[in-house]
Amino acid sequence: MSLVKPFDKLPTLNAATILLVGTDESQQQQLAEAILKEKKTFKINIHVATSLPLPAERDHIRPRIDLIAFMINMQSKHSLRNVEASLSHMDANFFLGKVCFLITGVGRMNHCSVEMNAVRKLGNLYSSPVLFCELDSEGIRAATAQRLLRMLQICAGHMPGVSALFFSSLMKSSIDE
Amino acid sequence: TLPSWETEGMHQRGMAKNPKQAFQVHRSSLSAWQIEERTAGLKTADLKSAQKHERGKQQSASVQAGNSTQDHLEQALTYFERIKDYIPLKKNEVLQKHLTTVESIALQRGLSPEGLDVLLNVALSGHLVNTRILKCLIPASVIAESSVVSAVSRLCVGKCSSSTQLLFLRWLIAMFDFIDHKEKLHALYGFFFCSLQDEKLCPYVCHLLYLLTRRESVSIGFSLLFLFFQGMQPHLQALLSLYKLFCPELVSITLPAKMKTYFKNSESLWKAAINTIRRRNQGTSPTSQQLILGTGHPQSRKRKWNTQLILPACSTDTKNPTRSKEINHADILSHSESFPVEQLHTFSQLLQNIHRLEFPSQMGSVLRNSLLLHYINCVKDESIYLRLYYWMGQTLQEECTWYKLDNQQYEEEFKDFLDIVYKTECFLQKGFSSCEEFLYKSLPLWDGFCCRSQILRLVSWIPLSSFSAFRHSSTMYIIHCFLSLLQCSVLESLKELLQNWLNWHVIQLDMESDPKISPLNTTLSGLVNSVAELIHFVGWIATVALRLENNATFLLYFILDFYETVCDVYLKYNLPLLVMPPPGVFYSALLSMDAVSLNQLCYIMYRYRTNLVAAKENELIKKTILQFKFSSQTYQEYNQYIMAMVGCLWTSSAFQKDIHPQGIRLDPEVLKKTKVQEVRNSFNIVHHPALMGYAILFLQQAWPEDKTLNFNLIKGRRWNWYLEYLYVQGLQGLKLFIESSINRVSQVSQTKSGNAQV
């Protein structure tokens, strides 16, 4: 059992690491493939986990994690509970802009078992962006991959003058104003 | 003579109540025309008959294949026609068989008007306690009004169960556009109205009445009766709001200004089947499609988006206070009947009949009809927008591809629809409020991908009053534009939004001078505040975007394009507002490596100057205290920028003379430490990185033998030649700027004082 921390390791040169957490493994797989297909200027490591905490024994070989994307399916309460449980195993520093929630299944409103409010609350509580995407369609998958890559670029510090904290406060200020 | 198979087949099928009868009627008239042509020119006719024979062979195969199912259907229909008494469904194999036949054919091809008539009668007779028939009543072309009327009369007999009644009403709402005429149906308005008392039926009856209601339907009795229904359910509110629009003097209840309620969706049961048949019909031939749609818009796809235009044969209302004088006048001239909208084809027809036009009962159909859009522009009747409001809100929500995943396959259609809505908004120069609500509601859930350009374009028609509301709900939108490289399109649509507002303002100003028209509902200060809010918002977005994109030239172009509108707001749109670009934008343009951006910036600063000078002059002339004055801060900001520009382009003193707090001023000691030689020369019209390329070309042309590229040669007279050279290269913005803002006589000292005067 170990707390995932954003700053406990040194970054790898010209590389960035994203961690996808969610219960639907096939969806994670698809998204990971879409991310790898995108054009990028740096090396990208994608780690996939169904829940946190991550196993401690592999900790020494795991690179520094720059961005964690939690995947929640609106049709499954379990996926939400799983994410909520995982959130407690993270270092608070992650919430300075290095976390986002990916929500799938909004398109089937009638079959939603998770309330929209619950998801919004989660985003507010952890001051992290909530992104909606239907990963079933290839186009949207690619668009989501682009957005994640861009966030990852910022979180890994590859964008001069823009930090994760800056970006998240930017989003917040646009809400508060 | 014609190939025999065709005539024979036609007779047979014609006699046996073929579902495609309408289609055949058309075909037979076509063949009649061909006979005439045949006598006229033998040669061509021979050729044609040969071709026809070929086609005939191909078609007859498919005809034969279809014949067996056709026979089954006919058997089934005759069977249903003969039902005169209650028949249980259980253990009745014959009935089961016929029912299955009808279902499968109806869902695949749709049913003829005659078939529908038979089946409707059975379904509502109470002989069959089953709703299966109603669920498969899909028309292939149209539904005869008479069948609907007789069905309604069967409803009155009260033999069928309440669930059947409910289902019938839903069916009627869903199929409303397919009914060929609606006059007799209008006559039944009172009957439907009485059914409002039934609690279960009420929502659907309301919806039906909403579709049926015309101005003359709203009589005193109805409105009074209506007041008994005190519960303000959404469906009643919707109907009441329509009444209120038609006859405001009859409905005294105040209704909430914004209603987000819609009718329950009645279509869902039949929607899939209708879509299949529509697609099928499109696939076959253009003629059959025209018959199905009935209006002759071959390019359209969605049934609702260009439904049959129904012609109510009643006079234009004279009570309506919003109508202008001429129309009232015209009413007297033509009290008789209205001009059928489906016959409206040319603009001159519109002009001749403009006094006796009535809108079609399905308002959605006007979107594709440019002549009716002209008419909307002309009559300025608010009820039009209300009628569009529910329909459009519901359609947008129903068809939205990211609300409902099942819609994804129809993304192209949804895009088309959004395009049409946008075009209509452009045409009417007015945003639809249902569209705006749709944006608020759906943008937070948007995936940032579907219908991207359409959504962004719709943003440009958000009304002024609700921009701050939009900003609050647009967080996701902003996240999207930052994360998915959409900044340029976002800036473009925000520029259009600004221009739309400004245009609206100019039009309002024009109308204000006309005393007859009531004063503005938006005050000038409200407008100024909203516009300023938008401009500051864009400034903020632009600063961040430039930072994220590392000052990309392409992005900068769009940002400066936005400011080209902003800098001219005072002179061009007569709005007392001038907002300078934020330093994040100004300095990235000034220090850009690209001559295009620099030139654009020069032009913008020149326009700012012109506007400020004009404002100052106006202040001096009028002497009276103006309600709006540019604050001294604006002048100060402008002066700071202009000092930086002059230092950067002319006096080679960018690091000394810049006094803007976020500028590029550097202490001489720090400059010394950089150990850059000739720091002073880093920025001027020769050494500016954006212009250095021109300087090199100039040197090469002026001194072709000199290979050392000595920039110091450009001095004095040659400096002027160089300037001329730059102007010839197309840097007109630079020219305007230098000629206006730089006093050439004694450069340094007077420039400063010249600027301070502004």
Side-chain angles (χ1 to χ4, degrees), chain A residues 106-109 116 120 130-132 134 136-137 139-140 143 147 150-151 154 159 161-162 166-167 170-171 173-175 177, chain B residues 402-405 408 444-450 452 471-472 475-476 478-480 482-485 487 540 544 547-549:
Chain A
V106 194
R108 295 198 182 86
M109 276 295 193
M116 192 57 81
R120 292 228 174 92
V130 180
L131 306 181
F132 294 90
E134 295 304 335
D136 301 341
S137 120
I140 301 176
R147 282 150 68 182
R150 205 137 162 89
M151 277 189 84
I154 295 170
M159 210 168 271
V162 186
F166 168 75
F167 192 68
L170 192 80
M171 292 307 155
S173 71
S174 74
I175 306 170
E177 258 180 63
Chain B
W402 60 96
Y403 266 180
K404 294 197 175 169
L405 214 57
Q408 254 174 22
L445 295 181
W446 190 37
D447 49 38
F449 176 74
C450 294
R452 233 178 225 183
R471 260 189 66 182
H472 284 288
T475 333
M476 279 315 294
I478 298 160
I479 297 179
H480 288 306
F482 283 126
L483 290 182
S484 45
L485 308 168
Q487 293 102 331
W540 175 76
V544 178
R547 201 154 169 194
L548 283 177
E549 293 299 312

Side-chain angles (χ1 to χ4, degrees), chain B residues 41 81 104 107 189 200 242 244 301 342 393 466 495 560 566 576 627 642:
Chain B
E81 211 168 5
S104 68
L107 295 183
Y189 195 89
K200 267 189 192 165
L242 188 67
K244 192 169 182 168
R301 298 202 210 147
E342 25 178 42
S466 46
K495 187 191 92 180
L560 292 176
V566 173
Q627 196 187 353
I642 215 80

Side-chain angles (χ1 to χ4, degrees), chain A:
Chain A
M1 295 281 260
S2 69
L3 216 59
V4 200
K5 290 180 180 165
F7 300 119
D8 63 337
K9 288 174 186 166
L10 286 173
T12 330
L13 189 67
N14 204 26
T17 309
I18 181 172
L19 173 65
L20 303 175
V21 181
T23 41
D24 190 339
E25 284 174 28
S26 66
Q27 228 170 29
Q28 285 176 334
Q29 184 78 29
Q30 281 180 325
L31 182 61
E33 274 165 20
I35 293 176
L36 290 176
K37 262 189 218 158
E38 285 299 315
K39 213 166 65 179
K40 53 200 164 288
T41 52
F42 53 95
K43 188 171 164 275
I44 182 164
N45 302 311
I46 303 176
H47 287 233
V48 179
T50 44
S51 64
L52 296 182
L54 299 171
E57 57 267 23
R58 291 172 54 81
D59 199 40
H60 60 287
I61 47 169
R62 192 177 299 128
R64 190 178 89 168
I65 288 167
D66 299 298
L67 173 66
I68 302 183
F70 288 102
M71 297 166 77
I72 299 172
N73 189 337
M74 292 299 273
Q75 272 124 20
S76 130
K77 274 210 166 116
H78 172 58
S79 72
L80 178 67
R81 265 187 244 117
N82 174 53
V83 167
E84 280 172 336
S86 300
L87 281 166
S88 58
H89 297 284
M90 290 167 58
D91 189 84
N93 281 323
F94 259 112
F95 298 108
L96 300 176
K98 293 187 168 217
V99 171
C100 74
F101 298 103
L102 284 185
I103 314 296
T104 60
V106 194
R108 295 198 182 86
M109 276 295 193
N110 300 338
H111 307 280
C112 282
S113 52
V114 178
E115 271 186 54
M116 192 57 81
N117 250 351
V119 174
R120 292 228 174 92
K121 255 191 200 159
L122 201 68
N124 278 342
L125 195 62
Y126 291 96
S127 56
S128 305
V130 180
L131 306 181
F132 294 90
C133 51
E134 295 304 335
L135 294 174
D136 301 341
S137 120
E138 204 184 330
I140 301 176
R141 217 157 47 219
T144 311
Q146 271 172 23
R147 282 150 68 182
L148 283 180
L149 264 182
R150 205 137 162 89
M151 277 189 84
L152 185 59
Q153 223 177 338
I154 295 170
C155 292
H158 291 183
M159 210 168 271
V162 186
S163 69
L165 183 59
F166 168 75
F167 192 68
S168 72
S169 58
L170 192 80
M171 292 307 155
K172 267 192 86 64
S173 71
S174 74
I175 306 170
D176 297 340
E177 258 180 63

Side-chain angles (χ1 to χ4, degrees), chain B residues 189-204:
Chain B
Y189 195 89
F191 164 73
F192 288 121
F193 199 89
C194 290
S195 329
L196 275 178
Q197 286 166 344
D198 191 317
E199 224 168 277
K200 267 189 192 165
L201 298 183
C202 183
Y204 298 103

Side-chain angles (χ1 to χ4, degrees), chain B residues 6-24:
Chain B
E6 202 177 15
T7 23
E8 269 173 29
M10 220 143 49
H11 276 297
Q12 268 174 11
R13 276 178 279 153
M15 267 149 66
K17 280 200 177 178
N18 191 288
K20 289 202 170 172
Q21 206 176 35
F23 181 48
Q24 278 157 19

Side-chain angles (χ1 to χ4, degrees), chain B residues 394-659:
Chain B
Q394 194 160 8
T395 315
L396 284 169
Q397 190 155 358
E398 282 291 309
E399 311 291 326
C400 177
T401 40
W402 60 96
Y403 266 180
K404 294 197 175 169
L405 214 57
D406 308 334
N407 284 340
Q408 254 174 22
Q409 47 178 323
Y410 307 129
E411 193 182 333
E412 282 306 312
E413 294 192 351
F414 188 56
K415 274 186 188 169
D416 275 354
F417 179 60
L418 291 181
D419 273 334
I420 292 169
V421 171
Y422 171 73
K423 275 181 204 152
T424 316
E425 285 185 327
C426 288
F427 187 88
L428 298 173
Q429 290 286 301
K430 183 176 169 125
F432 294 118
S433 50
S434 44
C435 215
E436 180 197 335
E437 272 164 29
F438 167 71
L439 285 179
Y440 294 160
K441 264 199 203 163
S442 61
L443 275 185
L445 295 181
W446 190 37
D447 49 38
F449 176 74
C450 294
C451 315
R452 233 178 225 183
S453 54
Q454 283 78 10
I455 291 290
L456 289 175
R457 278 158 72 185
L458 285 180
V459 168
S460 66
W461 281 105
I462 288 177
L464 185 87
S465 49
S466 46
F467 180 67
S468 40
F470 171 72
R471 260 189 66 182
H472 284 288
S473 67
S474 64
T475 333
M476 279 315 294
Y477 175 73
I478 298 160
I479 297 179
H480 288 306
C481 73
F482 283 126
L483 290 182
S484 45
L485 308 168
L486 277 178
Q487 293 102 331
C488 295
S489 345
V490 173
L491 284 166
E492 180 73 11
S493 71
L494 289 176
K495 187 191 92 180
E496 267 168 40
L497 177 66
L498 177 68
Q499 281 176 342
N500 287 337
W501 288 358
L502 294 172
N503 284 335
W504 175 83
H505 167 66
V506 172
I507 293 166
Q508 292 292 316
L509 278 184
D510 273 359
M511 288 184 9
E512 248 186 355
S513 55
D514 187 355
K516 269 182 277 178
I517 291 157
S518 59
L520 289 172
N521 28 7
T522 316
T523 58
L524 188 59
S525 66
L527 177 75
V528 170
N529 287 341
S530 293
V531 173
E533 191 186 350
L534 172 64
I535 296 173
H536 287 303
F537 176 67
V538 173
W540 175 76
I541 284 192
T543 312
V544 178
L546 278 172
R547 201 154 169 194
L548 283 177
E549 293 299 312
N550 207 7
N551 297 331
T553 312
F554 193 58
L555 177 65
L556 196 56
Y557 172 80
F558 278 91
I559 294 170
L560 292 176
D561 196 34
F562 179 80
Y563 279 100
E564 269 185 38
T565 310
V566 173
C567 66
D568 246 350
V569 163
Y570 180 72
L571 280 180
K572 218 169 162 183
Y573 299 97
N574 209 356
L575 190 73
L577 176 75
L578 221 53
V579 182
M580 300 299 295
V585 171
F586 174 78
Y587 281 102
S588 39
L590 180 62
L591 305 179
S592 113
M593 305 284 281
D594 193 74
V596 176
S597 310
L598 186 67
N599 184 51
Q600 226 177 338
L601 180 73
C602 285
Y603 174 75
I604 289 169
M605 292 310 283
Y606 157 72
R607 289 308 304 173
Y608 269 120
R609 185 195 153 89
T610 321
N611 278 263
L612 285 169
V613 168
K616 199 93 190 173
E617 276 169 5
N618 274 351
E619 268 175 52
L620 291 176
I621 294 166
K622 285 186 182 163
K623 288 285 178 199
T624 48
I625 302 156
L626 291 168
Q627 196 187 353
F628 295 97
K629 245 166 67 171
F630 295 141
S631 68
S632 58
Q633 207 192 336
T634 313
Y635 290 101
Q636 197 189 341
E637 227 177 325
Y638 170 80
N639 281 337
Q640 284 175 348
Y641 280 158
I642 215 80
M643 301 266 286
M645 276 186 88
V646 173
C648 211
L649 291 177
W650 201 259
T651 58
S652 316
S653 53
F655 301 115
Q656 290 88 36
K657 293 286 156 61
D658 193 346
I659 52 165

